[in-house]
Amino acid sequence: MKYYTAEAITNSKTIKVNKRFATRDEAINYVFNKILPFNAQVEEEISKGNHRVEYRCNNYNRFIVSRQFA
């Protein structure tokens, strides 16, 4: 079974989300709605390989969504 995890880096602090998401979109929406400032916008999407994607946002915020297998 696959699931997605997320972690964010905002204000120079790393925040690991202790929650599993069914889809990549659910993980992205959670990070935008619960962790990042309301004015955050994705400026760049970088594939880190092995189903791991880093999203760089404005104001030096970023988050990473990874696919995992149980």
Side-chain angles (χ1 to χ4, degrees), residues 11-57:
N11 296 328
S12 300
K13 291 172 50 178
T14 301
I15 301 168
K16 175 79 172 158
V17 178
N18 293 324
K19 188 173 181 173
R20 294 181 178 184
F21 303 95
T23 66
R24 183 177 304 277
D25 288 336
E26 285 180 18
I28 292 169
N29 288 336
Y30 182 87
V31 171
F32 270 110
N33 293 326
K34 303 288 184 179
I35 298 173
L36 295 178
F38 78 96
N39 64 345
Q41 296 176 347
V42 173
E43 293 182 345
E44 189 174 2
E45 183 177 318
I46 303 167
S47 176
K48 296 289 191 175
N50 203 18
H51 302 283
R52 184 174 163 98
V53 180
E54 178 180 345
Y55 298 91
R56 291 190 181 170
C57 303

